[in-house]
Amino acid sequence: MKFLVINGPNLNMLGVREPAIYGSATLAELEEMLKEHCKKIGAEVEFFQSNHEGDIVDRIQAAFGNTDAIVINPAAYTHTSVAIPDALKAVGIPAVEVHLSDVDKREDFRKISYVSPVCVATVKGKHFAGYIEACDILVAHLNK
Ligand code: DQA
């Protein structure tokens, strides 16, 4: 089983960026934690972070035919991008959307997600644990 974990814009700034909302741990720490979890569940995992919408689309397309499941935090593109959900639909790889913060309890514009309709599930407000939950949801989905 091969997972791809995609993090969108400004998530490379985790640890520095608004720690009251996003916590003080870094993206490298998140990826290390996910590597450990995936080892435990016998899955391979690759990571990708980009601040550019087109690069995220390219990475999703490159996953076609070689990746079983995608965990994606599209960050700000959640609320603006049509290209990212279109790419997820195009490749047909099951995906779970993750948000560190509870987007429903923040500004109104964060309540809109163009990505959630094409995902198996959305996990929000659980910080790093949300990514672990996303992996577990995808394992259950693939084993159905
Ligand atoms: C986020 C929530 C988004 O609204 C925001 O633009 C982000 C991070 C989250 O993980 O909580 O960059 O996706």
Side-chain angles (χ1 to χ4, degrees):
M1 198 177 297
K2 189 165 157 199
F3 283 108
L4 170 63
V5 177
I6 298 177
N7 279 296
N10 299 306
L11 293 169
N12 56 317
M13 296 293 286
L14 283 180
V16 173
R17 177 190 185 196
E18 299 179 88
I21 296 174
Y22 298 114
S24 54
T26 65
L27 181 62
E29 287 168 320
L30 169 64
E31 292 181 350
E32 199 45 52
M33 186 199 77
L34 286 171
K35 231 188 260 174
E36 284 304 307
H37 184 68
C38 285
K39 207 194 280 176
K40 256 192 262 165
I41 62 176
E44 262 181 76
V45 62
E46 266 186 42
F47 299 102
F48 182 74
Q49 189 279 327
S50 177
N51 295 324
H52 306 279
E53 184 177 14
D55 289 346
I56 295 170
V57 169
D58 286 345
R59 186 63 191 87
I60 292 168
Q61 289 184 8
F64 181 67
N66 60 61
T67 299
D68 299 300
I70 295 176
V71 173
I72 184 164
N73 182 345
Y77 290 138
T78 307
H79 321 298
T80 63
S81 175
V82 174
I84 290 172
D86 277 357
L88 290 170
K89 267 198 287 189
V91 296
I93 300 170
V96 169
E97 175 190 12
V98 177
H99 298 287
L100 294 155
S101 64
D102 187 348
V103 281
D104 292 335
K105 298 205 172 117
R106 299 180 61 193
E107 301 95 324
D108 280 348
F109 69 85
R110 293 187 204 275
K111 293 179 185 146
I112 295 159
S113 170
Y114 290 107
V115 177
S116 59
V118 306
C119 288
V120 170
T122 298
V123 183
K124 37 194 154 185
K126 297 186 176 174
H127 294 273
F128 283 10
Y131 287 77
I132 300 268
E133 191 175 323
C135 290
D136 294 344
I137 290 169
L138 285 163
V139 171
H141 179 81
L142 291 169
N143 288 333
K144 256 204 315 228

